[in-house]
Amino acid sequence: GAGVSQTPSNKVTEKGKYVELRCDPISGHTALYWYRQSLGQGPEFLIYFQGTGAADDSGLPNDRFFAVRPEGSVSTLKIQRTERGDSAVYLCASSLTGSATEAFFGQGTRLTVV
Amino acid sequence: SQQGEEDPQALSIQEGENATMNCSYKTSINNLQWYRQNSGRGLVHLILIRSNEREKHSGRLRVTLDTSKKSSSLLITASRAADTASYFCATDGNNDMRFGAGTRLTVKP
């Protein structure tokens, strides 16, 4: 597609449920990033993929969070046993080869855990 | 954890004035990028400056980088009401990008 696409735009889930957030990067972009942004804060780094592998997952807050990119394109961020504190906007970005190139962001998924 | 810190946290100016935002960071970088965000959703890339560059221009934007002080500044000249947004710097050290908390710029018409 023309840009980074994230689905769904909004997700409301009950505490304790499992959610999956999807990111479709720009075609041909090898680098993919996930961020979490709370109100009034900057994007907080979660995980970075280069191709299919997670080059850096040091930002994942705990083992309830997991992300995959099995074919080096679409990525899914998975959150188990959601907690109210997980409520935030989850942003995905892709870039052609990595941080030396401009990253393009999707519009994000607003996750609300009730 | 976040790498950069923007200063000030909030800035309010009149249309036509210049706006200067600063970013400080902690570790060595390869590049530094500035982004703009409207309404708390997608970020838009403004400019990338490499660690061996000291200054870069793009339209009404001017970015400086001082690696000895680990700081960068973003200057928006002749501001417009449409420039109202949050501005973030993002640094990379290990091929990922880390953002600061941002500067909230309000340009009054």
Side-chain angles (χ1 to χ4, degrees), chain A residues 9 33 35 37 42-43 45 48 56 58 91 99-103 105-108 110, chain B residues 2 31 33 35 37 40-43 45 48 50 88 92 95-101:
Chain A
S9 298
Y33 310 80
Y35 293 86
Q37 187 175 25
F45 171 79
Y48 161 67
D56 184 349
S58 62
L91 295 164
S99 60
T101 54
E102 176 184 346
F105 279 79
Q107 289 300 301
R110 184 179 300 279
Chain B
Q2 295 182 313
N31 309 288
Q33 303 188 52
Y35 285 83
Q37 185 179 42
R41 296 305 285 259
L43 286 86
H45 181 266
L48 180 153
R50 303 189 190 284
F88 297 91
D92 79 299
N95 289 317
D96 55 12
M97 285 196 304
R98 307 286 176 131
F99 287 81

Side-chain angles (χ1 to χ4, degrees), chain A residues 8-108:
Chain A
S9 298
N10 292 281
K11 175 72 177 177
V12 180
T13 191
E14 292 181 348
K15 179 175 176 294
K17 298 287 188 186
Y18 168 82
V19 296
E20 288 189 352
L21 311 179
R22 178 186 167 107
C23 173
D24 273 278
I26 293 173
S27 179
H29 281 194
T30 62
L32 186 146
Y33 310 80
W34 281 100
Y35 293 86
R36 176 171 70 175
Q37 187 175 25
S38 301
L39 193 62
Q41 300 296 315
E44 175 191 11
F45 171 79
L46 295 177
I47 188 169
Y48 161 67
F49 287 92
Q50 184 59 254
T52 60
D56 184 349
D57 64 357
S58 62
L60 295 176
N62 51 59
D63 61 7
R64 295 187 298 105
F65 288 75
F66 190 70
V68 295
R69 195 186 186 198
E71 297 177 358
S73 179
V74 171
S75 177
T76 305
L77 178 66
K78 308 180 181 194
I79 310 175
Q80 298 178 319
R81 304 183 304 280
T82 52
E83 299 177 357
R84 292 197 179 86
D86 298 335
S87 296
V89 175
Y90 288 82
L91 295 164
C92 175
S94 72
S95 69
L96 189 60
T97 58
S99 60
T101 54
E102 176 184 346
F104 295 83
F105 279 79
Q107 289 300 301

Side-chain angles (χ1 to χ4, degrees), chain B:
Chain B
S1 62
Q2 295 182 313
Q3 160 77 308
E5 283 188 20
E6 287 88 346
D7 166 59
Q9 290 185 336
L11 180 62
S12 181
I13 59 174
Q14 292 295 135
E15 208 165 27
E17 294 180 338
N18 296 341
T20 300
M21 290 161 271
N22 303 296
C23 168
S24 59
Y25 55 92
K26 298 184 177 70
T27 61
S28 298
I29 62 170
N30 297 320
N31 309 288
L32 185 143
Q33 303 188 52
W34 283 91
Y35 285 83
R36 166 198 167 117
Q37 185 179 42
N38 289 73
S39 307
R41 296 305 285 259
L43 286 86
V44 174
H45 181 266
L46 296 176
I47 198 163
L48 180 153
I49 187 165
R50 303 189 190 284
S51 60
N52 62 354
E53 297 177 308
R54 292 295 167 258
E55 188 171 313
K56 207 160 181 181
H57 296 253
S58 176
R60 293 186 295 113
L61 305 180
R62 173 177 167 250
V63 168
T64 63
L65 179 63
D66 187 337
T67 52
S68 67
K69 295 181 180 177
K70 292 187 169 58
S71 68
S72 173
S73 68
L74 170 66
L75 168 68
I76 304 175
T77 60
S79 64
R80 305 166 183 167
D83 294 329
T84 294
S86 291
Y87 292 82
F88 297 91
C89 67
T91 57
D92 79 299
N94 296 308
N95 289 317
D96 55 12
M97 285 196 304
R98 307 286 176 131
F99 287 81
T103 292
R104 175 68 192 170
L105 173 67
T106 302
V107 181
K108 300 174 188 174

